[in-house]
Amino acid sequence: MLKPATLLLASAIAATRACDIPSDTLSNNITEGFAVQVQNASLPVVHNHYLNIWDWGGGDQHLFVSPSGNSTSALTLVDGVLTLPWDPPRRAVINGEYEVKDNTTKMFMTERGDPRAVFEPVYGCNPDTDAVQIELALKSLDTLAEGGNIGVRPFNGIYDFRYTPEGNTAYDPDRPWTKVTLVVVSPEAVTGL
Ligand SMILES: *[C@@H]1O[C@H](CO)[C@@H](O)[C@H](O)[C@H]1NC(C)=O
Ligand SMILES: *[C@@H]1O[C@H](CO)[C@@H](O)[C@H](O)[C@H]1NC(C)=O
Ligand SMILES: *[C@@H]1O[C@H](CO)[C@@H](O)[C@H](O)[C@H]1NC(C)=O
Ligand SMILES: *[C@@H]1O[C@H](CO)[C@@H](O)[C@H](O)[C@H]1NC(C)=O
């Protein structure tokens, strides 16, 4: 028999995830420019903000939660890889600034051949409005089957994007890593956050 708490939890999940998920499978190519919205209602300072780029020199663009950096609605998805269609293209990769304390690795954009972050577009329900949305679920780290999650982490009041492998238990209370949902939004839907 289900305990009352379990039933309550189940109905709470049903209430927040009530939108009708389309049954079609999404392509892992999105050719029309989009922005990426960051969602996690438990962290209001980033919830509904955007993935911004920051010219880090050497052709690299580092990624920060808005309002830090420059906003962009020019992102595309090519074979599951977030790509700025510049010349040369900048692709989202997971490499560098590995932190042993919380087992996180930086995600940033580069023209070089670092291991790519490969996403799979999936339908989800907007946690605030319950509208259907397209989320970028991390599928693999380059060709490795290894899954994991993308989250954000504070540094001097700004938040960068960091990967943790699936099942990671390392955690740094001084710089707490928070898992986020990355959502594809059209340029017209971008708000001032
Ligand atoms: C996605 O785009 C890439 C690059 O243009 C292409 O090679 C690939 O076949 C496309 N995949 C699909 C499923 O259309
Ligand atoms: C924002 O973009 C402008 C124009 O390209 C550039 O000069 C500036 O360095 C960028 N700022 C950041 C934080 O990337
Ligand atoms: C850190 O990540 C590696 C995989 O990259 C994993 O094997 C290890 O268990 C993780 N450490 C902790 C403490 O979760
Ligand atoms: C939001 O952050 C909390 C705390 O880290 C985490 O438990 C939860 O899974 C996150 N939610 C989403 C939607 O990523």
Side-chain angles (χ1 to χ4, degrees):
M1 202 183 81
L2 285 174
K3 291 191 199 112
T6 316
L7 286 171
L8 265 179
L9 188 63
S11 59
I13 290 168
T16 51
R17 295 271 147 174
C19 77
D20 283 325
I21 301 289
S23 58
D24 61 303
T25 305
L26 291 160
S27 165
N28 62 355
N29 286 331
I30 303 175
T31 52
E32 255 174 66
F34 58 86
V36 168
Q37 190 178 50
V38 177
Q39 295 175 352
N40 189 325
S42 77
L43 191 60
V45 71
V46 308
H47 186 52
N48 290 338
H49 286 237
Y50 297 91
L51 177 148
N52 274 4
I53 55 178
W54 189 313
D55 189 348
W56 217 254
D60 292 358
Q61 295 285 330
H62 282 202
L63 303 174
F64 292 90
V65 177
S66 68
S68 309
N70 283 328
S71 63
T72 179
S73 303
L75 293 159
T76 61
L77 200 68
V78 182
D79 290 328
V81 180
L82 271 176
T83 304
L84 283 166
W86 297 353
D87 184 19
R90 310 300 201 276
R91 300 183 180 90
V93 300
I94 294 169
N95 206 16
E97 293 184 22
Y98 172 72
E99 180 77 66
V100 69
K101 257 178 142 176
D102 62 1
N103 218 2
T104 67
T105 306
K106 199 174 185 68
M107 178 170 80
F108 67 103
M109 299 186 85
T110 185
E111 60 189 73
R112 294 187 312 277
D114 302 59
R116 295 172 186 178
V118 183
F119 293 94
E120 188 175 32
V122 293
Y123 288 113
C125 303
N126 184 291
D128 302 329
T129 66
D130 215 22
V132 175
Q133 64 184 13
I134 295 175
E135 303 173 358
L136 297 174
L138 188 69
K139 190 177 165 206
S140 65
L141 176 47
D142 206 57
T143 54
L144 300 173
E146 181 176 18
N149 292 293
I150 300 295
V152 297
R153 202 181 68 166
F155 179 69
N156 286 346
I158 67 179
Y159 285 80
D160 71 347
F161 288 82
R162 299 201 143 244
Y163 162 85
T164 62
E166 198 66 56
N168 175 45
T169 56
Y171 183 74
D172 179 2
D174 295 329
R175 290 175 71 186
W177 175 92
T178 303
K179 182 184 171 187
V180 294
T181 307
L182 302 175
V183 181
V184 173
V185 291
S186 68
E188 301 77 42
V190 172
T191 70
L193 282 175

